Amino acid sequence: MSIPQNLEERGRSAPEAHALYAPGRTPLDYGTLKAHVVRTAASLRRLGIARDDIVAVVLPNGPEMATTFLSVSAAAICAPLNPAYQADEFAFYLSDLPAKALVIASSLDSPARDVAGSGGIPIVELTWDPSDPAGLFSLEGGPAGDVEPDIQAPHQNDIALVLHTSGTTSRPKIVPLTHANLCASARHIGAALELTPADRCLNVMPLFHIHGLVAALLSSLQAGGSAVCTPGFVGASFFDWLAEFRPTWYTAVPTMHRAVLSRAAAHSATISSGVLRFIRSSSAALPRATLEELEKTFGVPVIEAYGMTEAAHQMASNPLPPRLRKPGTVGRAAGPEITVLDADGRTLPARVRGEIAIQGPNVTSGYLRNPKANTAAFTGGWLRTGDEGVLDDDGYLVILGRLKELINRGGEKISPLEVDEALMAHPAVEQALTFSAPDASLGEEVAAVVVVRRDMEVTERKLREFVGLHLAHFKVPRRVIFASSIPLGPTGKPQRTGLAERLGISFDASPRPTFIVEHVAPRSPVEEILASIWATLMRSDSPGVNENFFYAGGDSALATQFVARVRDTLSVDVSLLSFFDNPTVAGLASVVEDALAAECIAVTPDNSIDGSTGS
């Protein structure tokens, strides 16, 4: 089916059922919504808009954005744009589409107007009366046309929506999604969440993004339920909306969930009297600590899903109870088929990491006017997602991160998501975002931005030591920056790419450890003591002073024992972090000797400590 055919069916079977709600507005029923979409499609035809024309839309979040998407896609191809874009961004997107017309709120003062005017793109003004039911509007202006009104529903293979990819690592690509793609994804989401006409979604996601358009809006309408169209995520209003509209679910990104939790304690009565049956999270990795806190606070299951624009959103989802949910995974395939491929496009078995790939009725057939990108993205009918992951024996998918976001530290591949989780396991950490920073010696180093919980304190040193107790030494962030919030993109996703450059973080050249080094025997009493401790712990011969402890088979647990024995033997406080930064006998000896010198303590040739005071 196409989107308008689905609305036609709902309008015929339950015309008085409410489809859309909005704060301060009268609800819009299915019968009125169906008539409005047909009427608007005819108006667009009279303005000269044809089925294959791309119509850019710049509107604030809310019910009019929802009904504009439904109406424009019924007549042409809808291209919603972020109203927060600046002139240069609008110039790129409007010309790259290219847009036949721009639909914009008459009340909106936006640089899109001047850009469209200078590009000869007709402007269609959209107006509405707040006293009308939510989502009703009228159109004025636009191109003059002689196309006869055509209110027949589009074919399922007609393009309904085009969205640009984020373009964080390359030029943004245009993703065309057909009515069949969008309706399939809406069905998949409805099936995964067991949606019924009794369900109501509180949508706080932007409607210029695939998450809000499909996961919240279309899935609700496809199931015959309803959606609450808010102005977007507003932390101060969230619990008021929860009380007013009594939604059965909401879907959001992790940063929004964190903001909800930060206010939850003051709204316990609203939470306890609510009718939520689940909470959904998608579009970014949900830290396990956040999932557990949400479930404890609201007393309902949290369903983490995995989506992308090219799949019309949903690809995988954890199931609802009593079926098995696996925190730390994004669940099983929930619509398209999912596989994991190696670099040559061969399917990998369970428990072997590789690139996640998908195929199915909700997946785009290819990027618009971009054969080079299509050749790179499609392999044997599979769309490569650009994400690294692994399927377990039960078919549950673990996301290891974007391939382009993996940190390559001297050949060691590090998932930033894994470091995020380790940082957030610290009780003082509210949010964490790990990213790569350029290093003159290793190529890339690990860095992180951290938001500390209110009324709590932690130092960079303590956090690095904490991570070192849970992860291998090379995954410990070399730099931790404290901030009031995590850097986010326009859709609420954390922005790792380019973050080091924006923050001005880079590391100078330093001696790079290697696996194979020339054996150099201990040259001082301190080096002899450290080499002896090393040999005892590792059950090996005495190491060379430049041999790397971790490359020799040591791990964080052995490193912890190492520094404890150094403290006991030499009576000097050496931190685990110092060992991570100096994992050789020579490097650690330098740290120890500096500490001993500061306390005027010497180590004699017979490896005993001389505590006499020096000059």
Side-chain angles (χ1 to χ4, degrees):
M1 297 179 72
S2 67
I3 293 171
Q5 283 175 322
N6 182 67
L7 293 177
E8 171 73 22
E9 181 178 297
R10 302 301 171 191
R12 184 172 56 251
S13 62
E16 296 180 356
H18 290 160
L20 299 180
Y21 293 80
R25 304 287 294 278
T26 303
L28 179 68
D29 62 53
Y30 272 100
T32 307
L33 173 59
K34 179 196 72 171
H36 178 76
V37 168
V38 172
R39 184 169 58 250
T40 304
S43 296
L44 290 169
R45 283 285 181 271
R46 294 189 186 96
L47 293 174
I49 303 297
R51 174 73 64 201
D52 294 333
D53 288 333
I54 296 177
V55 177
V57 175
V58 178
L59 294 173
N61 227 43
E64 285 71 37
M65 180 63 229
T67 53
T68 298
F69 160 64
L70 298 171
S71 301
V72 172
S73 65
I77 301 170
C78 185
L81 299 178
N82 186 347
Y85 283 152
Q86 298 302 307
D88 288 347
E89 294 166 307
F90 279 123
F92 168 77
Y93 291 113
L94 290 173
S95 62
D96 193 51
L97 287 168
K100 176 68 178 290
L102 169 67
V103 173
I104 188 168
S106 60
S107 59
L108 195 61
D109 182 16
S110 168
R113 294 178 178 277
D114 292 335
V115 172
S118 62
I121 300 172
I123 295 176
V124 181
E125 300 280 356
L126 186 146
T127 60
W128 66 87
D129 186 340
S131 64
D132 284 340
L136 297 187
F137 60 80
S138 59
L139 299 177
E140 298 177 3
D146 54 6
V147 179
E148 286 298 315
D150 173 13
I151 59 174
Q152 290 189 4
H155 188 273
Q156 63 175 1
N157 292 328
D158 287 334
I159 299 173
L161 174 69
V162 291
L163 294 169
H164 278 84
T165 60
S166 61
T168 54
T169 57
S170 62
R171 177 185 173 89
K173 300 181 286 287
I174 302 174
V175 180
L177 295 168
T178 65
H179 285 269
N181 294 149
L182 294 166
C183 289
S185 190
R187 286 196 307 274
H188 298 160
I189 295 164
L193 301 177
E194 301 175 13
L195 298 181
T196 73
D199 281 304
R200 181 176 301 160
C201 176
L202 177 63
N203 178 47
V204 293
M205 291 297 298
L207 291 174
F208 55 80
H209 184 255
I210 197 69
H211 185 160
L213 284 173
V214 179
L217 179 63
L218 281 188
S219 71
S220 296
L221 299 181
Q222 185 111 3
S226 56
V228 182
C229 299
T230 71
F233 182 76
V234 181
S237 301
F238 180 85
F239 287 97
D240 292 336
W241 296 334
L242 209 63
E244 178 182 358
F245 296 106
R246 295 179 62 76
T248 59
W249 65 292
Y250 81 90
T251 183
V253 296
T255 50
M256 295 175 182
H257 293 308
R258 289 294 336 160
V260 168
L261 287 171
S262 70
R263 297 172 178 269
H267 299 277
S268 57
T270 297
I271 294 172
S272 61
S273 64
V275 295
L276 284 178
R277 67 181 182 90
F278 65 88
I279 293 169
R280 184 178 185 272
S281 186
S282 189
S283 297
L286 180 67
R288 184 171 301 192
T290 302
L291 184 150
E292 292 172 351
E293 191 173 350
L294 280 169
E295 293 195 335
K296 179 180 179 182
T297 300
F298 287 93
V300 299
V302 174
I303 305 302
E304 185 172 10
Y306 172 45
M308 68 184 298
T309 303
E310 289 89 335
H313 188 54
Q314 183 166 285
M315 297 182 284
S317 178
N318 267 290
L320 286 164
R323 289 175 293 169
L324 177 64
R325 284 180 302 143
K326 291 189 179 184
T329 78
V330 292
R332 298 168 58 92
E337 295 179 69
I338 295 178
T339 192
V340 175
L341 303 177
D342 66 12
D344 295 321
R346 292 186 292 258
T347 300
L348 295 169
R351 292 178 276 115
V352 178
R353 62 196 296 169
E355 184 173 6
I356 302 164
I358 56 170
Q359 62 179 1
N362 58 313
V363 181
T364 184
S365 60
Y367 299 106
L368 204 61
R369 302 186 304 275
N370 200 332
K372 183 178 179 181
N374 289 331
T375 299
F378 288 88
T379 300
W382 294 97
L383 171 65
R384 292 179 174 272
T385 65
D387 290 327
E388 186 180 39
V390 61
L391 288 164
D392 70 11
D393 292 327
D394 297 320
Y396 285 71
L397 181 64
V398 177
I399 309 295
L400 301 174
R402 293 292 293 169
L403 286 169
K404 293 180 179 178
E405 291 179 348
L406 290 178
I407 302 168
N408 187 351
R409 183 186 182 275
E412 297 281 5
K413 302 296 175 53
I414 301 164
S415 167
L417 297 177
E418 185 180 16
V419 185
D420 289 351
E421 289 279 0
L423 284 164
M424 290 191 63
H426 192 285
V429 175
E430 172 87 12
Q431 297 178 67
L433 185 68
T434 306
F435 57 96
S436 68
D439 181 272
S441 176
L442 295 166
E444 293 180 346
E445 255 291 3
V446 185
V449 173
V450 162
V451 177
V452 177
R453 292 182 185 273
R454 189 178 305 171
D455 301 326
M456 298 190 76
E457 293 183 357
V458 68
T459 64
E460 179 181 14
R461 184 187 188 91
K462 290 294 185 183
L463 278 182
R464 293 184 66 209
E465 290 179 336
F466 179 81
V467 173
L469 294 173
H470 298 84
L471 298 180
H473 76 99
F474 60 85
K475 298 177 183 179
V476 175
R478 186 167 167 187
R479 179 79 185 277
V480 176
I481 296 171
F482 296 96
S484 58
S485 63
I486 293 294
L488 303 175
T491 60
K493 286 186 179 182
Q495 293 289 290
R496 301 182 201 272
T497 305
L499 188 53
E501 181 180 1
R502 295 202 299 274
L503 295 175
I505 300 174
S506 63
F507 299 100
D508 297 330
S510 57
R512 178 172 176 172
T514 59
F515 286 95
I516 301 174
V517 294
E518 180 183 358
H519 183 86
V520 177
R523 300 157 298 189
S524 70
V526 170
E527 288 186 349
E528 289 180 3
I529 292 173
L530 297 179
S532 175
I533 294 172
W534 173 316
T536 300
L537 286 175
M538 301 286 281
R539 299 179 181 178
S540 67
D541 295 333
S542 181
V545 298
N546 295 318
E547 187 173 348
N548 187 289
F549 179 78
F550 299 103
Y551 289 171
D555 55 25
S556 295
L558 285 173
T560 302
Q561 295 179 49
F562 198 126
V563 297
R565 294 198 185 189
V566 171
R567 293 190 197 110
D568 292 343
T569 304
L570 296 175
S571 300
V572 63
D573 187 18
V574 176
S575 70
L576 180 62
L577 191 58
S578 296
F579 193 29
F580 286 155
D581 291 340
N582 303 274
T584 65
V585 167
L588 191 60
S590 178
V591 174
V592 170
E593 287 165 353
D594 287 346
L596 293 172
E599 299 179 21
C600 300
I601 297 174
V603 178
T604 64
D606 62 358
N607 292 350
S608 63
I609 297 174
D610 180 358
S612 59
T613 303
S615 57

